Amino acid sequence: MTTGTPPSSQAYGEPWYWDNRYAHESAPFDWYQKYPALAPLIRIYVPHRHQRVLVVGCGNSDIKLDVRDMSPFQSGSFDAVIDKGTLDSILCGNNSRQNAAQMLDEVWRVLKEKGVYILVTYGAPVYRLGLLKESCTWSIKLHVIAKFGPEGSSEQPARELTDPIPLDESGSSVEDVLGKNPDVHYIYVCTKLPKAKQ
C-alpha cells in the first residue's frame, strides 16, 4: 500500500480502492467487529446452525459478486444476510443513494420472509433509518456495541449488546439513551416483511 495522504472517504465506495487494498493484505482480518464480539447477537437472530447465511462484502476472498445485482441467487434463498461495512462503503462512492437502494433491494430479495439483515455500521439512526425504511419493508431493531479498542478487542460495552435500544420514527431517541457521539457501532437488525399490497 502506498504511504502518504490517506484516501478520501469517497474512495471507499470505489472498487479500485478495495482491489488495491486487498492486493497488499497478507492475512484475513475483520472489519468493525470480530465474530466473538457479535456472536451473542447472531445467536439470537440466527439461532440454528443449518440456516443459510450470506455475508456481503467479500473482504480478501476470491469469490466476488456485485451486491447490487445478486441474480445468481434465487429470491428467498437466505435466512440471514450479514453486512459489516459494505453499505457504509457504498455510501461513500458516486451515486451512493442509488447504489445503496439497489443493494438493499437485492438484500431484501434474497432473504426469505422473516429473514434478517444484520447491518453493522458507523451510521447513526438519523443517517441510516430513513434509507432502510424507504428501501424495503422491514421491522427494525437497533443494538449497539463498543468499537474496537487499541488491542483490537471491543472495549467494555456502554450497554448490553443483546438489549435493543428503543427507536422512534426518526431515530433521534437514540441520543437520549446513548448521549451525543457515542463511540459505538450501530447494529440494525432488519426483519423482512411482506411487501404492502398496492
Side-chain angles (χ1 to χ4, degrees):
M1 189 177 284
T2 60
T3 57
T5 309
S8 72
S9 62
Q10 185 171 4
Y12 298 146
E14 304 302 327
W16 62 262
Y17 170 80
W18 297 105
D19 290 342
N20 183 50
R21 174 151 188 168
Y22 290 126
H24 295 89
E25 293 291 339
S26 60
F29 61 93
D30 288 305
W31 288 103
Y32 293 6
Q33 297 289 327
K34 294 186 181 298
Y35 176 77
L38 296 172
L41 193 66
I42 292 171
R43 281 194 288 271
I44 290 172
Y45 294 106
V46 190
H48 306 292
R49 290 185 185 267
H50 68 276
Q51 290 179 290
R52 291 194 69 201
V53 177
L54 173 65
V55 179
V56 295
C58 65
N60 51 2
S61 170
D62 291 332
I63 300 164
K64 294 181 182 178
L65 185 68
D66 187 338
V67 73
R68 298 167 302 167
D69 176 14
M70 296 189 284
S71 53
F73 298 127
Q74 293 181 350
S75 297
S77 296
F78 295 95
D79 297 289
V81 173
I82 299 175
D83 171 359
K84 295 191 311 172
T86 301
L87 182 64
D88 287 359
S89 294
I90 286 176
L91 287 169
C92 291
N94 295 321
N95 301 318
S96 61
R97 257 337 235 207
Q98 177 184 350
N99 289 329
Q102 288 174 329
M103 173 191 165
L104 291 170
D105 284 346
E106 278 294 276
V107 166
W108 191 91
R109 183 188 67 78
V110 300
L111 279 171
K112 294 178 179 177
E113 190 172 320
K114 297 187 181 175
V116 293
Y117 170 46
I118 300 173
L119 168 63
V120 184
T121 176
Y122 280 107
V126 295
Y127 302 109
R128 293 293 183 269
L129 267 184
L131 178 63
L132 290 168
K133 287 180 179 182
E134 67 193 38
S135 66
C136 304
T137 52
W138 306 106
S139 167
I140 302 172
K141 290 184 180 179
L142 176 66
H143 299 263
V144 295
I145 188 169
K147 292 181 184 173
F148 282 149
E151 293 80 37
S153 60
S154 290
E155 297 172 4
Q156 190 66 12
R159 89 183 260 117
E160 183 62 38
L161 171 64
T162 58
D163 186 17
I165 295 176
L167 279 173
D168 61 10
E169 194 62 29
S170 67
S172 60
S173 62
V174 173
E175 192 175 291
D176 295 338
V177 176
L178 299 176
K180 289 183 187 249
N181 304 315
D183 197 21
V184 298
H185 286 123
Y186 298 91
I187 305 171
Y188 299 87
V189 179
C190 307
T191 303
K192 179 180 177 175
L193 301 174
K195 284 197 174 181
K197 294 182 180 174
Q198 302 202 9

